[in-house]
Amino acid sequence: MTLQRILPFSRTLLDSVLTKGSVAIDGTCGNGHDTLYLAECVGETGKVYGFDIQEEALNATKSRLEKTGQLLQVNLIHSSHAHVASIIDEKDKGKVSAAIFNLGYLPGGDKSIVTTPNDTLNAVTAILELLRPGGILIIVVYSGHPEGKKESEAVTAFTSGLEQRDFQVLKYGFINQKNNPPYILAISKT
Ligand code: SAM
């Protein structure tokens, strides 16, 4: 057999919790690939909140969603994901089925604008509260760039310390590949 690579595995996890009508969060829209996938999974009766601090990323995401007819169910937010708790609708709190973060910089964009340990940990902490029981938070971690190494250590330390009674935490990655390939941290709320 061939083991699932990182992107397909993240989608397998999303598929396991998302249905039409679900609420989902993309913490880092970037070029909108994950936002589009979430929008397709939740359909027009669901809702996706998509965050990015760069207008360029939100424009790319909007255009991808428009081309595929999936914009209706997506709320694109020009803000740091650290503010997620104050932005998401009251009625969606505790109802979020899935959230995904693809850390690092915008592919094809300014490599100096990256996710940071501080904002990422604030967002992760907030989203764990917003998840419904059985919901999942997926973090795709890149440790290969200088900021990424610190972020990888911070996120690993935080998630390793989560109470076992309340959360299952999975680490999925290929440990014999060169150049620090990305890996997944997936947190399922019990
Ligand atoms: N998932 C995206 C896709 O499918 O194309 C790729 C995301 S890219 C690796 C990381 C994105 O995170 C960048 O677009 C960057 O602007 C964004 N970002 C960095 N810090 C952020 C923050 N504090 N809040 C929200 N987005 C942030």
Side-chain angles (χ1 to χ4, degrees):
M1 76 172 291
T2 307
L3 295 168
Q4 268 195 317
R5 288 179 302 130
I6 296 301
L7 177 70
F9 186 65
S10 70
R11 303 231 156 137
T12 297
L13 293 173
L14 292 173
D15 291 344
S16 70
V17 291
L18 290 176
T19 54
K20 301 293 179 209
S22 296
V23 179
I25 298 173
D26 187 350
T28 55
C29 287
N31 289 314
H33 300 280
D34 291 329
T35 322
L36 172 60
Y37 193 73
L38 295 175
E40 287 171 341
C41 288
V42 307
E44 287 190 6
T45 55
K47 192 190 281 184
V48 178
Y49 294 90
F51 289 82
D52 208 290
I53 51 170
Q54 295 191 71
E55 211 167 330
E56 182 187 346
L58 291 171
N59 288 340
T61 301
K62 187 173 180 204
S63 137
R64 188 178 299 282
L65 294 166
E66 266 169 355
K67 276 188 203 137
T68 47
Q70 300 289 333
L71 185 59
L72 189 73
Q73 62 270 40
V74 181
N75 185 0
L76 291 174
I77 300 146
H78 190 189
S79 162
S80 170
H81 40 228
H83 307 302
V84 59
S86 62
I87 290 170
I88 191 166
D89 284 352
E90 277 306 312
K91 67 174 172 50
D92 291 330
K93 292 186 176 171
K95 304 247 171 64
V96 176
S97 290
I100 186 159
F101 283 66
N102 215 299
L103 301 180
Y105 52 81
L106 177 65
D110 183 344
K111 291 190 177 169
S112 70
I113 304 174
V114 290
T115 51
T116 61
N118 207 27
D119 275 15
T120 300
L121 288 187
N122 282 333
V124 166
T125 306
I127 286 176
L128 294 181
E129 285 288 317
L130 298 171
L131 288 179
R132 65 164 170 80
I136 194 164
L137 166 59
I138 299 162
I139 312 171
V140 183
V141 186
Y142 295 79
S143 59
H145 60 103
E147 277 298 316
K149 187 168 185 317
K150 281 187 249 161
E151 194 174 32
S152 162
E153 287 166 0
V155 178
T156 300
F158 175 79
T159 53
S160 308
L162 288 170
E163 182 58 59
Q164 191 176 337
R165 193 187 47 213
D166 301 328
F167 300 100
Q168 289 181 295
V169 184
L170 170 81
K171 183 173 182 179
Y172 183 88
F174 295 91
I175 61 173
N176 68 333
Q177 287 181 354
K178 295 192 175 71
N179 302 322
N180 301 303
Y183 64 90
I184 284 178
L185 290 172
I187 308 158
S188 165
K189 189 170 182 173
T190 48

